[in-house]
């Protein structure tokens, strides 16, 4: 049974794995009885040293939004992690692949909020009213768990496998775009390697944001004005390495690009 000291120790191990770029064995191998609630406590412990060093929470990410990934992890709901100020890159940025362990790119729709969302009871309509604009986004996920051998508790403890994220060239009013039908094309080194649509994220990306607002609302946490909310991958993850150049295009919204050095 995990006690508070175990939780702090595991959080520190994950933080050190991130800092040293050295993955660790799945936490669920040594702690098979870990609950999801305990995994979120470990997530907080993992992030604490970065926050103490001056990083700020600038948003949140939603993961496990597709049925394929839910089935793989044997869960029936998404998960979430925190976005920190030191994770954010601008469109066209060059990211050192050596700063990550086993990066994979996901094309997503990012919501930038102008009003707070405080669950429970948040609907898609509430999300759209509270959103200043949506943007194309790359989430570069990374796992501090060796070889991506994760159960849901492992990825939750590891801040939902968050690495870094790249926001696109412009925003669009979410009321001007049918977000469920938005088409995505993801190119790697000039070749289309993934396509998807907004509906891949819980049927509608605003559904994912509403789920997050309602889930956090039960914990007394709101989604705040100015926060960036990543609504979930629209296609399969794409492995990346040094030398790769990626570009995402979202119909009616815009594009984003990133290079790996």
């Amino acid at each position: 049974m995990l006690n508070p000291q175990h939780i702090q120790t595991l959080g520190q191990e994950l933080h050190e794995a991130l800092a040293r770029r050295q993955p660790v064995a799945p936490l669920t191998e040594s702690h098979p009885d870990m609950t999801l609630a305990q995994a979120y406590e470990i997530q907080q412990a993992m992030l604490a040293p970065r926050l103490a060093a001056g990083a700020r929470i600038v948003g949140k990410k939603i993961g496990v939004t597709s049925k394929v990934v839910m089935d793989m992890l044997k869960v029936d709901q998404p998960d979430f992690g925190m976005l920190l100020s030191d994770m954010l890159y601008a469109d066209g940025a060059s990211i050192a692949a050596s700063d990550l362990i086993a990066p994979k790119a996901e094309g997503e729709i990012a919501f930038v909020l102008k009003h707070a969302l405080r669950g429970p009871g948040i609907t898609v309509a509430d999300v759209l009213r509270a959103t200043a604009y949506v943007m194309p986004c790359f989430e570069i996920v990374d796992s501090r768990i060796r070889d991506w051998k994760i159960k849901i508790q492992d990825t939750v403890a590891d801040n939902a496998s968050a690495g870094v994220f790249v926001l696109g060239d412009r925003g669009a009013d979410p009321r001007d775009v049918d977000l469920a039908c938005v088409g995505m094309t993801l190119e790697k080194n000039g070749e289309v390697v993934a396509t998807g649509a907004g509906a891949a994220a819980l049927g509608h990306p605003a559904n994912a944001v509403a789920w997050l607002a309602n889930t956090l609302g039960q914990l007394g946490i709101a989604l705040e004005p100015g926060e960036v909310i990543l609504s979930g991958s629209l296609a399969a993850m794409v492995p990346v390495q040094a030398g790769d150049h990626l570009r995402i295009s979202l119909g009616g919204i815009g594009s984003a690009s990133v290079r790996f050095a």
Side-chain angles (χ1 to χ4, degrees), residues 26 64 216:
V64 195
L216 290 178

Side-chain angles (χ1 to χ4, degrees), residues 9-245:
T9 298
L10 292 172
Q12 184 63 34
E13 286 179 5
L14 287 171
H15 172 71
E16 291 176 359
L18 181 147
R20 297 174 180 173
R21 281 73 169 170
Q22 292 292 329
V24 296
L27 306 189
T28 51
E29 283 187 0
S30 53
H31 300 281
D33 58 347
M34 181 188 298
T35 66
L36 207 52
Q38 289 169 333
Y40 280 113
E41 291 179 24
I42 296 168
Q43 179 187 118
Q44 293 176 23
M46 178 199 184
L47 295 175
R50 295 171 75 179
L51 295 171
R56 296 174 294 104
I57 293 176
V58 296
K60 300 171 177 73
K61 63 151 290 184
I62 306 160
V64 195
T65 52
S66 73
K67 188 175 187 306
V68 170
V69 179
M70 286 187 195
D71 290 346
M72 180 184 76
L73 295 177
K74 298 181 174 61
V75 294
D76 60 1
Q77 64 175 7
D79 68 0
F80 64 86
M82 301 296 161
L83 301 177
L84 304 187
S85 52
D86 57 5
M87 297 178 180
L88 173 60
Y89 286 82
D91 183 39
S94 178
I95 296 171
S98 59
D99 286 346
L100 301 163
I101 296 172
K104 301 174 187 284
E106 296 180 335
E108 305 194 15
I109 297 173
F111 288 66
V112 181
L113 300 182
K114 60 182 177 181
H115 303 306
L117 285 169
R118 197 178 303 272
I122 296 297
T123 66
V124 166
D126 295 326
V127 171
L128 296 179
R129 280 193 296 269
T131 300
Y133 47 89
V134 291
M135 302 182 76
C137 173
F138 274 114
E139 183 186 0
I140 312 304
V141 293
D142 196 22
S143 184
R144 276 60 63 174
I145 305 299
R146 188 174 298 120
D147 299 325
W148 280 94
K149 291 182 177 176
I150 53 174
K151 294 182 177 179
I152 186 66
Q153 294 93 331
D154 295 300
T155 184
V156 164
D158 190 26
N159 196 29
S161 303
V164 299
F165 66 106
V166 180
L167 293 179
D169 57 351
R170 63 188 179 92
D173 189 321
R175 290 157 291 272
D176 294 340
V177 185
D178 184 343
L179 293 177
C181 295
V182 164
M184 181 202 74
T185 302
L186 196 161
E187 299 172 53
K188 178 179 176 181
N189 303 325
E191 177 185 353
V192 175
V193 293
T195 58
L202 290 186
H204 190 296
N207 279 334
V209 179
W211 171 85
L212 180 62
N214 291 326
T215 299
L216 290 178
Q218 297 171 13
L219 305 174
I221 301 170
L223 305 184
E224 301 291 353
E227 286 195 332
V228 179
I229 311 298
L230 308 190
S231 59
S233 182
L234 303 184
M237 299 185 294
V238 177
V240 294
Q241 60 185 3
D244 286 340
H245 175 222

